[in-house]
Amino acid sequence: MKKFQIENQQGRLDKVVSELAKDYSRSQIKHFIEQGNITVNGTLRKPKYKVQSGDLIELKPPKPQKLELEPENIPLDIVYEDEDVIVVNKPQGMVVHPAPGHEDHTLVNALLYHSPLSTINGTFRPGIVHRIDKDTSGLLMIAKNDQAHRSLAEQLKNKTNKREYIALVYGVIKKDRGTIDAPLGRNPNERKKQAVVANGRHAVTHFQVLKRYANFTLIKCILETGRTHQIRVHMKYIGHPIVGDPLYGPRKVIGNTGQFLHAAILGFKHPRTGKEMVFEAELPENFQKMLRKLDNSKK
């Protein structure tokens, strides 16, 4: 249970508690209030209740539902596999691992059906060394045992692995290449989003222009760090959000499959042999179709 004494905070109960209990979004707090998990001076109140100086707020979040992780026979696009690692080409629209709201049909469910996985990341992220967003397609490295997991995670930490993305962004980028060095953290106004914030975590994205269109630019992005939504937020930050991005792009979204962002190249040292390995996955069909459409519009 968490207790908060109101001093000089003002406003609705759901808003104030979401600012005090930063682990939860405002919508979660509102749900807790409606379910009776939050009281004011021992009394149930509505989300719109205006807090007053001296109010004692008690938050007793419900016990989390236990997720049962089930192996599922879902087809996988496996680019490479041996006794230690799997490199998989994740389709757009697939969530990497189970979480509230996405308990099944994830990449992890499919992998568990296919192979034993490392246990380092706990029950719900077995084998997962790094992630890409649900609506980002492309390459991921998966650890089949803990030794491989430790090696791959160390390479990520030391920035010795290779990760290159292809993205289509709004607007015409004039510079042929550039680097975005801007710290990222949770957006203080919209908790589902990340943003460039002064006290955020160090984040660096390098980009290179591959092709320019009338109103768009095709770029290659090279990650130096791997923060949540990093490329999406960094490209918006410099005024070139990713086409199709429902979270960081314009309100009117182009396409219906998510952002045009693809993890195209992945490289790492094999955890057992030390051999340098590099893999490449071609753009998914919807991305290629968009580029063909832009190419044809130029003629």
Side-chain angles (χ1 to χ4, degrees), residues 22-26 186-187 189-193:
K22 297 186 182 297
D23 293 341
Y24 304 103
S25 68
R26 184 167 173 178
R186 193 185 294 276
N187 187 317
N189 301 315
E190 297 179 75
R191 297 184 66 82
K192 287 186 177 180
K193 292 185 177 182

Side-chain angles (χ1 to χ4, degrees), residues 64-72 97-106 108-110 112 122-126:
Q65 284 185 309
K66 189 175 181 181
L67 295 175
E68 294 294 335
L69 204 56
E70 295 287 340
E72 294 181 61
H97 61 75
H102 292 286
E103 286 83 7
D104 49 21
H105 307 312
T106 71
V108 162
N109 294 105
L112 282 172
T123 307
F124 297 110
R125 291 189 289 167

Side-chain angles (χ1 to χ4, degrees), residues 57-225:
I57 297 172
E58 294 183 329
L59 164 60
K60 188 178 181 182
K63 290 182 180 179
Q65 284 185 309
K66 189 175 181 181
L67 295 175
E68 294 294 335
L69 204 56
E70 295 287 340
E72 294 181 61
N73 187 9
I74 300 170
L76 289 168
D77 182 2
I78 294 175
V79 178
Y80 174 82
E81 181 178 11
D82 60 26
E83 61 184 324
D84 297 300
V85 297
I86 304 173
V87 177
V88 63
N89 183 18
K90 185 189 82 68
Q92 196 172 46
M94 178 181 261
V95 176
V96 171
H97 61 75
H102 292 286
E103 286 83 7
D104 49 21
H105 307 312
T106 71
L107 180 64
V108 162
N109 294 105
L111 287 165
L112 282 172
Y113 187 90
H114 176 77
S115 167
L117 300 172
S118 70
T119 62
I120 285 178
N121 262 349
T123 307
F124 297 110
R125 291 189 289 167
I128 301 301
V129 183
H130 64 129
R131 291 176 290 175
I132 55 179
D133 299 333
K134 172 190 172 186
D135 290 326
T136 299
S137 57
L139 297 171
L140 282 166
M141 52 187 177
I142 311 297
K144 294 176 76 171
N145 55 64
D146 290 357
Q147 178 191 347
H149 195 128
R150 281 189 285 268
S151 172
L152 295 173
E154 189 71 14
Q155 292 178 52
L156 277 175
K157 181 181 176 183
N158 295 333
K159 304 172 187 175
T160 57
N161 68 314
K162 187 174 186 177
R163 285 178 293 166
E164 294 186 8
Y165 291 70
I166 303 297
L168 184 68
V169 301
Y170 287 96
V172 180
I173 299 177
K174 294 179 181 177
K175 292 195 301 181
D176 287 340
R177 60 183 69 236
T179 295
I180 307 161
D181 186 344
L184 298 180
R186 193 185 294 276
N187 187 317
N189 301 315
E190 297 179 75
R191 297 184 66 82
K192 287 186 177 180
K193 292 185 177 182
Q194 300 291 305
V196 172
V197 291
N199 60 346
R201 301 175 73 190
H202 177 61
V204 179
T205 305
H206 307 282
F207 68 86
Q208 178 183 336
V209 170
L210 300 176
K211 195 168 188 177
R212 295 180 178 92
Y213 299 94
N215 301 303
F216 305 98
T217 307
L218 185 67
I219 61 172
K220 174 172 72 175
C221 292
I222 300 173
L223 286 180
E224 192 171 307
T225 54

Side-chain angles (χ1 to χ4, degrees), residues 6-12 15-16 19 50-52:
I6 297 300
E7 296 175 356
N8 55 3
Q9 295 92 342
Q10 295 180 335
R12 289 171 53 116
K15 175 178 178 291
V16 171
E19 291 169 351
K50 295 288 195 294
V51 301
Q52 300 174 36

Side-chain angles (χ1 to χ4, degrees), residues 240-296:
H240 297 282
I242 293 175
V243 176
D245 191 332
L247 208 54
Y248 301 102
R251 184 163 293 179
K252 187 177 180 182
V253 177
I254 294 177
N256 58 6
T257 56
Q259 60 269 7
F260 288 88
L261 178 62
H262 177 67
I265 295 178
L266 176 66
F268 55 87
K269 275 188 178 179
H270 191 278
R272 188 180 299 268
T273 67
K275 180 183 175 183
E276 291 282 357
M277 309 184 79
V278 180
F279 303 94
E280 188 167 357
E282 68 175 17
L283 294 173
E285 178 55 33
N286 70 305
F287 204 146
Q288 293 186 45
K289 185 177 178 181
M290 171 63 85
L291 295 182
R292 287 195 296 268
K293 183 178 176 182
L294 292 174
D295 284 331
N296 291 334

